[in-house]
Amino acid sequence: MKGITLITKGKNTCEALKKQLNDLLGDRVKIEGFYIDGNIKEGIFNDLVVISSNIIYEHAKQYLAHNCRVIIARRSINYHKIGKLLDIPPGTDALLVNDLTSTALETISLLEILGIDHINFFPYSPEIKDYPKLKLAVTPGELELVPDCVENVIDIKTRNIDFTTLVEILQELDLADKKANYLSARYLKDIIELIKETKKMADVNSRMNNQLQTIINTVHDGIIALDERKEISAFNPIAEGIFGVSRKELIGKKLNNVMVPKEVISVLENENIEKERFIKVNNRQVVINISPIKENNSVVGKVCTLKDVTEIQRLEEELRRKLRKQETYARYTFDDILGTSDLIKNTKELAKKISKSQSPILIQGESGTGKELFAQAIHNNSLRQRGPFVAVNFAALPESLLESELFGYDEGAFTGAKKGGMPGLFEQAHGGTIFLDEIGDAPQLFQVRLLRVLQEKQIRRIGGSKVIPIDVRVIAATNKDLKSLMKGGEFREDLYYRLNVLPLRIPPLRERRGDILDLAYAFYNDHFKRKPPMKASVFFGAISDHLLIYDWPGNIRELHNIVEYLCNVCPDKIPTPELLPGEFPGILKNGKAVYADLNRYKLEKNILIKIFESNKKGKPIGRRSISSELGLPEGKVRGIIEDMRTKGYIKVNRGKRGIEITEKGYGMINYYLPK
Ligand SMILES: Nc1ncnc2c1ncn2[C@@H]1O[C@H](COP(=O)(O)OP(=O)(O)OP(=O)(O)O)[C@@H](O)[C@H]1O
């Protein structure tokens, strides 16, 4: 899982923005927050660092590891929270309370841009000692900073990270897929809510109407609002651009008396449910969304938003370009797959054998276990090694692009189709291997098409009539349990069996703990281009127990990230356990120790060493002798022995032979007792 570190000045903003990011990305990105006034620490490093403003960046710089990717957030007022400000009589004095004078001033000017210019704002922050003792204050979520003189506070809530920054974040993390559209829909929803909220007031008060219009004008999508008499009450500049009609000619007019295409009128008149439709306006494709305004269960108006598809196409084009830039060769070979555990050695052996076949392979394994690495190594060890290796990631590719990306299209297949057409990824992989990553995310309808291609070994480009034979070897991979997806009807059984001809399971890191330090050492040496400031075993000396006991949900990718992090945070010092990011067992976190796991691990280690030493001397050892030699209660020893037996570290024999250490157990001993 990728990660974002958010940095703000105060705790409130940090929590609010963290929630915003979590709501949006929580299922795919791990988000942690630090604030300058409290929990900030040195050596911050992550896939991406998001900082709440330019000013905060100046304060935060010193805490960042040197090669962090940083985005400074642009922030927007919470549209549906400012309705309350429209009630305040013109000319009223109010303090605008924020954590810094500069952010208070910034909020005042943002409000002014939105048309809230009828209130005389005085900036207030704890830095300002001399301020007018006013009774009214407005604050973006900083309630505890409001000074005592104030009797009435309007909280317009923390300023959110704005739409453009969110898109930038998605792009930085390579997640700019379906989420981008979903984002703009959510953002518009806020505005629609505001229109609904203030509509009643706006009817009686023309000042509010103007302000509302200003807000609508700042939006990047077309907006049309209708009242219950089906008269147009709002029409913003983007809508003007789409329809080529000026607002003045429309406001207050009935729909059917104006120059709006018939199709739009019929949608606006007849649709009362929230729905998305495509219509053509002046030769442009437009997505139109209708949202009814209800009062006491009857519809009293509608808000319609319009998005010019050219913009969506532009976003898609960008994504296509990114995809096209990807390499069509495989970099890695089996020599790049590190690890000396039996499990990984056996997996490599099996992979080498199946690489020589032409049948499809299905690689299953948790995220970050090395599925793509194996796919590349298999290709490079196959008879197709001179052919291309083309990777397709179903989780990153929006559904709308799948067909054209995989099968290609002919000239004129759709508006925007390139002259001469475009070959799809299947064609590009001809003579080589196609790697279908995250196949569990392939949409159902697409699964049918994929199956047909695999069966018939030929494709037809979109809009094309020619059938093109293709010779590709398919390697699919997934971290999902395809069997349970099949039970739930989300994955087609016929496709599963077509792909699962040669199954390959990549074991998670926690099943081969013997590899953890090998990998950590290799990543450490790689970081310093094989000229590390100290020996890897010395560098990891104080934390190796912690690394060995951790369960590694993100597997090798997570281990790699942590080693990178440590190399950045303390390049020439030995890292202490407290420096480990995240939830490592046995480390003091927020003053609370999670010692239980580490103690248990240490007992396990001591017991395994005892067994190893006895075995070496040829002396039988049993539960009772262990408990007396180590001074531990027999019950406890029994539990630990049972655990180690299930993990495969030991064999418990009946009678004289007693407990014996297994090959896997020896793997662990190598790390417990460095040579
Ligand atoms: N055995 C290994 N030796 C060295 N590096 C490894 C090994 N396994 C994985 N890696 C590294 O770990 C990272 C993740 O590997 P990879 O992308 O192949 O995993 P994945 O299983 O395909 O992940 P996901 O399911 O998230 O797509 C890569 O940087 C890869 O080089």
Side-chain angles (χ1 to χ4, degrees):
M1 216 182 199
K2 292 197 169 158
I4 294 181
T5 299
L6 173 73
I7 304 180
T8 65
K9 173 157 194 309
K11 191 172 173 195
N12 289 342
T13 315
C14 191
E15 277 168 6
L17 299 189
K18 194 169 158 198
K19 181 168 182 310
Q20 189 195 357
L21 289 176
N22 251 326
D23 285 349
L24 181 73
L25 301 167
D27 54 337
R28 293 163 81 175
V29 179
K30 193 169 172 197
I31 294 145
E32 58 172 12
F34 292 108
Y35 44 98
I36 308 255
D37 292 347
N39 67 351
I40 192 111
K41 57 173 193 181
E42 303 253 307
I44 288 180
F45 181 80
N46 212 337
D47 295 313
L48 183 64
V49 174
V50 176
I51 299 188
S52 64
S53 73
N54 261 319
I55 306 152
I56 304 309
Y57 177 60
E58 289 308 314
H59 294 277
K61 261 196 293 204
Q62 55 180 308
Y63 298 104
L64 303 179
H66 68 275
N67 55 351
C68 267
R69 284 196 291 172
V70 173
I71 286 184
I72 298 183
R74 288 170 294 278
R75 312 263 300 279
S76 64
I77 298 283
N78 250 329
Y79 288 106
H80 62 275
K81 295 284 176 234
I82 62 172
K84 292 182 210 159
L85 300 182
L86 300 177
D87 277 341
I88 299 174
T92 306
D93 291 339
L95 293 177
L96 192 302
V97 178
N98 217 339
D99 48 2
L100 293 170
T101 315
S102 47
T103 49
L105 286 166
E106 198 180 291
T107 310
I108 294 174
S109 62
L110 263 176
L111 285 170
E112 275 170 7
I113 293 171
L114 288 174
I116 311 292
D117 53 2
H118 64 290
I119 304 168
N120 300 326
F121 283 120
F122 293 85
Y124 171 87
S125 78
E127 302 162 329
I128 301 180
K129 298 289 167 246
D130 188 17
Y131 57 91
K133 306 283 180 283
L134 301 176
K135 298 215 173 351
L136 175 68
V138 173
T139 180
E142 300 291 353
L143 286 169
E144 63 252 44
L145 301 182
V146 174
D148 289 342
C149 59
V150 171
E151 288 168 11
N152 181 13
V153 188
I154 298 180
D155 184 4
I156 55 170
K157 301 286 179 201
T158 308
R159 290 178 300 137
N160 276 337
I161 298 176
D162 89 341
F163 175 63
T164 56
T165 311
L166 293 175
V167 172
E168 205 181 315
I169 293 175
L170 290 177
Q171 280 174 344
E172 269 296 317
L173 294 179
D174 265 342
L175 298 173
D177 48 14
K178 296 168 201 159
K179 281 257 152 98
N181 283 340
Y182 162 73
L183 244 183
S184 67
R186 280 259 297 247
Y187 164 82
L188 275 177
K189 217 171 164 145
D190 273 2
I191 295 156
I192 291 168
E193 286 306 313
L194 172 68
I195 295 174
K196 287 180 182 174
E197 247 173 55
T198 51
K199 184 179 172 298
K200 281 168 262 159
M201 293 187 277
D203 280 344
V204 275
N205 189 325
S206 70
R207 173 177 55 78
M208 289 179 192
N209 225 333
N210 284 340
Q211 284 169 331
L212 193 55
Q213 191 64 46
T214 318
I215 295 164
I216 292 170
N217 289 353
T218 61
V219 177
H220 299 294
D221 296 76
I223 291 190
I224 308 177
L226 289 186
D227 61 18
E228 59 265 79
R229 297 181 297 268
K230 294 193 179 165
E231 284 176 9
I232 299 175
S233 54
F235 199 85
N236 76 347
I238 305 281
E240 285 182 336
I242 291 176
F243 291 106
V245 192
S246 116
R247 172 174 180 261
K248 285 197 196 99
E249 293 169 37
L250 298 177
I251 294 292
K253 297 240 172 85
K254 281 242 188 297
L255 244 193
N256 38 12
N257 291 338
V258 295
M259 294 285 296
V260 171
K262 279 207 180 63
E263 204 183 344
V264 180
I265 297 183
S266 108
V267 173
L268 274 170
E269 281 195 327
N270 302 321
E271 299 282 348
N272 275 335
I273 29 168
E274 294 191 33
K275 231 190 209 174
E276 209 169 63
R277 285 172 168 265
F278 280 88
I279 53 169
K280 218 168 188 163
V281 182
N282 300 336
N283 272 336
R284 288 155 94 172
Q285 279 286 349
V286 173
V287 189
I288 177 162
N289 246 298
I290 307 282
S291 174
I293 304 175
K294 284 189 185 150
E295 234 178 66
N296 304 329
N297 277 339
S298 59
V299 177
V300 296
K302 285 174 196 177
V303 182
C304 153
T305 62
L306 305 138
K307 207 179 207 7
D308 193 336
V309 179
T310 37
E311 194 204 326
I312 300 174
Q313 275 174 346
R314 193 188 52 75
L315 276 175
E316 288 193 349
E317 199 42 54
E318 210 164 283
L319 202 59
R320 271 181 211 275
R321 236 180 297 127
K322 254 193 183 167
L323 286 168
R324 296 275 168 205
K325 263 197 269 162
Q326 74 179 22
E327 296 153 349
T328 52
Y329 69 94
R331 253 189 297 166
Y332 298 109
T333 67
F334 282 114
D335 290 341
D336 296 305
I337 302 178
L338 308 175
T340 51
S341 66
D342 284 348
L343 259 178
I344 199 74
K345 280 199 287 200
N346 294 341
T347 313
K348 269 165 79 170
E349 275 320 302
L350 177 61
K352 276 181 195 165
K353 276 189 201 137
I354 60 179
S355 65
K356 301 293 181 201
S357 150
Q358 295 291 341
S359 305
I361 297 178
L362 178 64
I363 306 182
Q364 294 192 266
E366 291 175 14
S367 166
T369 44
K371 295 187 290 298
E372 172 145 19
L373 196 61
F374 266 93
Q376 295 199 12
I378 290 174
H379 170 81
N380 278 334
N381 197 49
S382 76
L383 305 173
R384 296 170 174 267
Q385 56 185 220
R386 289 186 193 282
F389 175 89
V390 174
V392 186
N393 187 322
F394 283 89
L397 207 58
E399 205 170 328
S400 57
L401 293 189
L402 268 179
E403 294 245 349
S404 58
E405 281 305 298
L406 269 95
F407 306 127
Y409 53 81
D410 263 1
E411 186 172 333
F414 47 81
T415 16
K418 264 203 172 146
K419 251 192 147 197
M422 176 80 91
L425 296 171
F426 265 104
E427 271 180 75
Q428 285 182 41
H430 185 70
T433 306
I434 192 160
F435 175 51
L436 307 176
D437 201 5
E438 315 276 10
I439 189 79
D441 288 295
Q444 291 245 354
L445 270 178
F446 195 75
Q447 293 175 21
V448 186
R449 291 219 47 187
L450 202 55
L451 181 66
R452 202 169 316 134
V453 172
L454 299 184
Q455 280 167 341
E456 294 169 6
K457 300 191 177 358
Q458 56 190 31
I459 54 131
R460 196 196 298 264
R461 289 187 185 178
I462 299 176
S465 50
K466 225 172 52 199
V467 169
I468 305 168
I470 43 151
D471 164 32
V472 292
R473 204 260 175 106
V474 175
I475 304 181
T478 179
N479 56 24
K480 294 200 169 148
D481 180 7
L482 290 188
K483 282 226 164 107
S484 59
L485 288 186
M486 257 179 349
K487 275 194 199 120
E490 291 156 69
F491 200 82
R492 293 182 62 98
E493 225 175 304
D494 39 14
L495 180 60
Y496 174 79
Y497 290 112
R498 172 67 54 173
L499 294 172
N500 196 29
V501 181
L502 301 172
L504 184 70
R505 177 183 178 266
I506 315 290
L509 196 49
R510 68 181 167 283
E511 282 180 18
R512 42 179 168 124
R513 291 184 193 272
D515 286 341
I516 295 174
L517 292 183
D518 265 351
L519 286 161
Y521 292 179
F523 295 148
Y524 171 80
N525 289 328
D526 277 354
H527 177 89
F528 293 103
K529 309 218 163 18
R530 306 197 181 280
K531 287 194 190 119
M534 63 187 92
K535 265 181 78 172
S537 53
V538 176
F539 182 78
F540 290 100
I543 53 169
S544 54
D545 278 353
H546 298 84
L547 299 183
L548 277 171
I549 186 186
Y550 183 54
D551 264 348
W552 300 104
N555 290 294
I556 300 174
R557 181 177 297 113
E558 186 183 8
L559 175 61
H560 193 208
N561 287 348
I562 284 184
V563 174
E564 278 295 303
Y565 168 82
L566 294 172
C567 292
N568 275 290
V569 178
C570 45
D572 39 25
K573 272 195 311 225
I574 295 175
T576 58
E578 287 70 27
L579 267 183
L580 284 169
E583 300 285 311
F584 276 82
I587 298 168
L588 269 175
K589 281 272 146 88
N590 305 326
K592 251 175 62 195
V594 218
Y595 276 130
D597 286 337
L598 197 63
N599 274 341
R600 171 124 187 147
Y601 161 79
K602 283 185 176 150
L603 286 180
E604 196 177 292
K605 173 173 163 178
N606 289 340
I607 292 176
L608 200 66
I609 293 174
K610 242 303 121 298
I611 298 170
F612 167 73
E613 282 167 350
S614 295
N615 283 183
K616 213 165 62 177
K617 289 181 202 147
K619 208 176 101 196
I621 186 162
R623 191 175 68 221
R624 220 162 278 154
S625 45
I626 294 173
S627 92
S628 70
E629 280 182 45
L630 293 176
L632 293 168
E634 233 185 283
K636 191 158 212 136
V637 175
R638 187 186 308 125
I640 293 176
I641 291 217
E642 182 49 25
D643 260 12
M644 292 203 292
R645 195 185 60 75
T646 29
K647 283 186 200 159
Y649 294 167
I650 51 171
K651 226 165 78 189
V652 182
N653 301 302
R654 286 186 181 280
K656 276 237 162 104
R657 274 165 66 209
I659 305 170
E660 278 175 328
I661 200 154
T662 62
E663 185 120 351
K664 201 166 172 190
Y666 276 119
M668 295 306 289
I669 289 291
N670 285 340
Y671 294 104
Y672 295 151
L673 304 170
K675 284 158 233 154

